[in-house]
Amino acid sequence: MSYQDILYDVEDGILTITLNRPDRLNAFTITMKSEIIDALDRADNDDDVRAIIFTGAGRAFCAGMELGAEGNIFGYEIPQKEPYNIEEIRDSGGEVSLRIYDCKKPVIAAINGPAVGVGITMTLGMDFRLASEKAKLGFVFSQRGLCIEACSSWFLPRIVGVSQALEWAYSGEVFPAQEGKDGGLIRSLHAPEDLLPAAKALAKKFTEKTAPISIALNRQLMYKMMGASHPMDAHNMDSRSIYYASETDGKEGVMSFLEKRAPEFKVKVSDGMPYFYPWWTPRKPE
């Protein structure tokens, strides 16, 4: 399948999704949203994809929403009704974040240049954010008379703490990547030419010796349990999940350890997830 606003490239088990509107600094569009969601659907069902990296073409990662595009004002798809129903409006950045949240594969952002507005909030559902030393970041909404979006009111305080999240959201200022690292948003900084190799090296740590089903279960246990009301919820799902894993690839993992050889994991994420997955009730917009 070909795409208009993104590039989709799989090599050595790693999918690189490149935001591909370099003449517009990869500004976010409704088409880009749809293509990213489609690409993630493909990746989740492709057992040759073990990890996913997002980056940008040219000198930017994503300069935020393409505000000038018709039907794309502030990233909302307005139902074609009169009067429109505000409860039916969907934030397109949030649709991307929610799809990343449910992904079965590790997701890494390689922020190669400016990432502002939805260009930074869309990365918050990703597991790691690596950045070029020259990148600039900004939750610029307050300076545009808007509010934060893309589920960042849920993700950002959990990543950096409430006070830091509010400071960036209140000011709306653009800040250097080093400040993002100091504030806990960015995992590591790299010279521009080293950024993508570093992201791929990190991805390989997750793909070369691990069982795909272990990665998928670990990712969802971590994210879904962040909202649990009691550790007993985690205990219940940990217990079921580790028992299921022990009856599948876990047997091979233990045996290979005892026999001092590399494991040969067989279970595929595309069709081998536990019968109780997903264990949560899928949420729909209200």
Side-chain angles (χ1 to χ4, degrees):
M1 181 181 296
S2 61
Y3 294 112
Q4 173 182 309
D5 286 359
I6 67 170
L7 300 176
Y8 186 105
D9 180 64
V10 181
E11 184 178 0
D12 296 331
I14 301 170
L15 164 63
T16 302
I17 296 176
T18 304
L19 309 183
N20 190 38
R21 303 183 70 231
D23 57 322
R24 298 296 298 166
L25 300 182
N26 304 319
F28 189 90
T29 66
I30 297 301
T31 297
M32 183 181 288
K33 175 208 76 172
S34 299
E35 291 181 352
I36 290 173
I37 291 173
D38 182 83
L40 292 171
D41 289 343
R42 288 177 62 189
D44 259 355
N45 291 299
D46 184 351
D47 293 310
D48 289 332
V49 173
R50 295 291 315 281
I52 302 167
I53 295 173
F54 278 82
T55 194
R59 66 183 184 88
F61 179 77
C62 176
M65 182 60 62
E66 181 67 88
L67 298 178
E70 184 177 356
N72 196 21
I73 298 173
F74 306 144
Y76 295 129
E77 296 184 68
I78 307 297
Q80 298 301 306
K81 299 179 181 179
E82 285 295 341
Y84 70 82
N85 182 354
I86 196 168
E87 295 179 358
E88 295 181 15
I89 294 174
R90 298 292 308 278
D91 162 33
S92 54
E95 291 179 285
V96 169
S97 293
L98 290 169
R99 183 60 190 84
I100 294 170
Y101 177 68
D102 284 334
C103 191
K104 300 187 185 83
K105 316 290 174 77
V107 186
I108 300 167
I111 303 173
N112 56 299
V116 299
V118 70
I120 187 62
T121 57
M122 69 181 289
T123 73
L124 300 180
M126 302 180 193
D127 304 321
F128 308 95
R129 284 156 296 279
L130 285 62
S132 163
E133 296 166 339
K134 297 181 179 181
K136 301 287 186 180
L137 319 173
F139 300 88
V140 297
F141 306 97
S142 65
Q143 295 193 12
R144 305 293 180 269
L146 302 171
C147 64
I148 54 176
E149 40 63 87
C151 307
S152 53
S153 58
W154 193 90
F155 284 108
L156 188 58
R158 285 169 166 79
I159 296 169
V160 304
V162 172
S163 292
Q164 180 63 84
L166 286 172
E167 181 176 342
W168 285 334
Y170 285 165
S171 71
E173 293 178 345
V174 174
F175 52 90
Q178 181 65 56
E179 181 176 332
K181 184 176 186 300
D182 293 342
L185 179 63
I186 301 300
R187 173 190 179 273
S188 53
L189 299 179
H190 304 271
E193 65 274 15
D194 295 334
L195 176 62
L196 202 53
K200 291 181 177 180
L202 179 62
K204 287 182 179 179
K205 289 174 60 176
F206 310 143
T207 62
E208 290 187 334
K209 299 179 181 179
T210 61
I213 194 168
S214 297
I215 299 297
L217 287 171
N218 287 340
R219 189 175 199 276
Q220 290 307 318
L221 284 167
M222 289 278 192
Y223 280 117
K224 297 307 188 284
M225 289 305 155
M226 284 200 295
S229 61
H230 194 281
M232 183 60 74
D233 296 332
H235 174 62
N236 290 335
M237 291 317 307
D238 290 351
S239 299
R240 297 173 194 172
S241 298
I242 198 167
Y243 177 78
Y244 178 86
S246 71
E247 290 294 299
T248 53
D249 270 345
K251 291 183 181 295
E252 168 63 12
V254 171
M255 189 59 66
S256 65
F257 175 78
L258 295 175
E259 295 176 353
K260 296 181 173 58
R261 60 173 175 81
E264 296 181 11
F265 296 121
K266 302 292 188 182
V267 180
K268 298 179 179 180
V269 170
S270 60
D271 60 9
M273 296 299 287
Y275 70 89
F276 52 84
Y277 180 93
W279 57 82
W280 59 92
T281 300
R283 296 287 297 274
K284 296 182 178 180
E286 299 175 356

